[in-house]
Amino acid sequence: MEGKILQYTGNANRFLWYFLIPSLIIFYFSYIFWSDKNYVNKPVYEAIKNKQQALKNLDRIDGVILGGSNAWWGISAESLSLYSDMTWANLAIPAEGYTDENYESFLVDTLSLTMRQDVSIVVYSASTLVRNDFIKRKRVNTNLYGKNQISYKPQRSLASNIKDLMGFTGYRPYPVENKYGDFGFADYPCGTFEANPHNPREYLNENQLLAWTSEQLERISSLFPNATIFIYVPNGFNDQIIEKNNDLREALIIKLEDLLAIRESNGEGMVHLLSQEPYQSSDLMCADNWHANNQGRAWHTEELHKLIDHQLQLNK
């Protein structure tokens, strides 16, 4: 009896070590390679491709909006074009391309050198200033379309892919509204606003601000050599946030003003600093406290136009 038990245990151990574990290892690494080959972040991929296609309908671009989803949702290039005698383009994309290098590549691929040389105003709504992700963006291994570099982790879980195959999940596209590259709210119902009071506002610390300012202004000046640059500090709806950290925002703006003044005194050109006022009501937000809805975009764009116009009048 004891011998049969030992024989059974030995067979089970051999099955475990010589078949089951190697099979699981082979399956896991095969899934990683399959996931990497087949994964597409469809909402981001299609948003970028559709935006690039839409902007081809503009013969000339005078002003551009740069930034991430806050700027894409919250600023209308079409409205800025109507407010002025300029043609504006919204070049903001999700997560600002995930890295600065990705975003620069997107801008170069989207606008020819001639078109970029014709741009006279750049408004950069810099999400890094209000998210403190300067170092994170340097360490990220994600491409422009939201796909991670291959690693020991798959792009998506096996359960998520099985749900897709069974038709239990889908994706929500980020539509492009017009030839100016604006976000298409008509095809994107915002849903009910949900407050997140325990998510504090974070701001780029002073130790990183100098490096960020230098890098970004060098990049923008190189891409748009004839443009007047506006650094725009974005905002959201803050009423329900417990840690608003308004003192940190004020300190950031003061320090940034000093850095831009030093840059100008060194003959590196004038850069204007603008600060967005917070949204005054959750009725202006698209489900969260960071992204505007259509009404919020209208209010925000009008306020931005006034800020730009006022600054340009001062410098005449």
Side-chain angles (χ1 to χ4, degrees):
M1 183 69 178
E2 184 177 349
K4 289 184 178 180
I5 292 175
L6 290 175
Q7 183 181 5
Y8 174 79
T9 303
N11 290 337
N13 285 336
R14 281 192 292 272
F15 174 78
L16 179 68
W17 289 104
Y18 293 109
F19 179 76
L20 183 59
I21 291 178
S23 297
L24 289 174
I25 292 174
I26 292 171
F27 173 78
Y28 181 74
F29 282 102
S30 297
Y31 178 69
I32 285 177
F33 285 108
W34 179 88
S35 175
D36 181 73
K37 181 179 180 180
N38 292 279
Y39 176 75
V40 177
N41 189 332
K42 288 185 178 179
V44 175
Y45 179 85
E46 292 184 1
I48 291 173
K49 292 299 183 181
N50 290 338
K51 182 178 284 256
Q52 289 176 318
Q53 185 63 36
L55 292 170
K56 289 180 180 179
N57 294 302
L58 295 177
D59 297 326
R60 176 186 173 90
I61 297 174
D62 304 300
V64 298
I65 301 153
L66 307 182
S69 57
N70 174 278
W72 190 19
W73 266 249
I75 304 174
S76 169
E78 181 179 27
S79 294
L80 286 177
S81 300
L82 293 173
Y83 291 147
S84 64
D85 58 353
M86 302 171 59
T87 299
W88 284 79
N90 191 320
L91 292 168
I93 58 175
E96 214 173 298
Y98 297 95
T99 71
D100 292 339
E101 290 74 18
N102 289 344
Y103 195 34
E104 181 176 355
S105 175
F106 162 76
L107 295 173
V108 170
D109 290 343
T110 304
L111 301 183
S112 68
L113 175 60
T114 300
M115 293 192 77
R116 286 186 280 114
Q117 288 174 332
D118 287 340
V119 170
S120 59
I121 295 181
V122 171
V123 175
Y124 179 27
S125 180
S127 59
T128 292
L129 292 175
V130 296
R131 293 204 168 176
N132 197 21
D133 62 355
F134 177 61
I135 299 300
K136 179 183 177 181
R137 285 177 65 83
K138 291 182 175 296
R139 295 173 177 170
V140 153
N141 291 314
T142 305
N143 70 11
L144 175 65
Y145 306 107
K147 180 178 179 179
N148 296 321
Q149 191 176 53
I150 190 169
S151 70
Y152 65 91
K153 292 183 178 180
Q155 298 287 343
R156 295 183 73 204
S157 69
L158 179 61
S160 296
N161 280 304
I162 291 175
K163 287 181 181 179
D164 282 353
L165 291 173
M166 297 177 69
F168 292 142
T169 59
Y171 74 96
R172 194 179 188 189
Y174 300 142
V176 178
E177 183 174 71
N178 51 37
K179 66 181 180 180
Y180 304 96
D182 292 336
F183 189 80
F185 286 109
D187 299 314
Y188 190 92
C190 280
T192 306
F193 174 78
E194 295 182 9
N196 188 0
H198 302 290
N199 188 17
R201 291 293 186 219
E202 296 183 309
Y203 296 95
L204 190 63
N205 64 61
E206 289 190 14
N207 295 329
Q208 297 171 359
L209 186 58
L210 176 60
W212 178 88
T213 304
S214 177
E215 289 181 15
Q216 297 304 320
L217 292 181
E218 181 179 350
R219 179 176 287 112
I220 294 172
S221 297
S222 174
L223 290 168
F224 304 97
N226 301 314
T228 298
I229 301 172
F230 289 83
I231 298 295
Y232 190 42
V233 184
N235 217 327
F237 174 64
N238 304 325
D239 282 11
Q240 297 173 338
I241 295 177
I242 295 173
E243 296 182 50
K244 297 179 177 64
N245 291 328
N246 291 332
D247 57 327
L248 297 180
R249 182 183 180 91
E250 184 177 350
L252 171 83
I253 291 172
I254 291 172
K255 181 63 177 178
L256 192 50
E257 285 175 340
D258 292 341
L259 291 175
L260 295 179
I262 292 171
R263 185 179 186 275
E264 183 182 358
S265 67
N266 291 335
E268 298 178 76
M270 177 182 290
V271 175
H272 304 290
L273 179 63
L274 304 176
S275 178
Q276 180 191 345
E277 290 296 316
Y279 293 95
Q280 299 302 305
S281 169
S282 61
D283 293 337
L284 300 177
M285 309 310 294
C286 188
D288 63 26
N289 59 21
W290 188 241
H291 298 92
N293 58 23
N294 196 28
Q295 291 74 31
R297 177 175 67 180
W299 171 82
H300 180 192
T301 303
E302 185 175 357
E303 293 300 306
L304 174 59
H305 169 68
K306 291 176 182 177
L307 288 174
I308 295 172
D309 188 59
H310 176 71
Q311 192 63 61
L312 294 176
Q313 292 299 323
L314 289 177
N315 290 277
K316 276 189 175 180

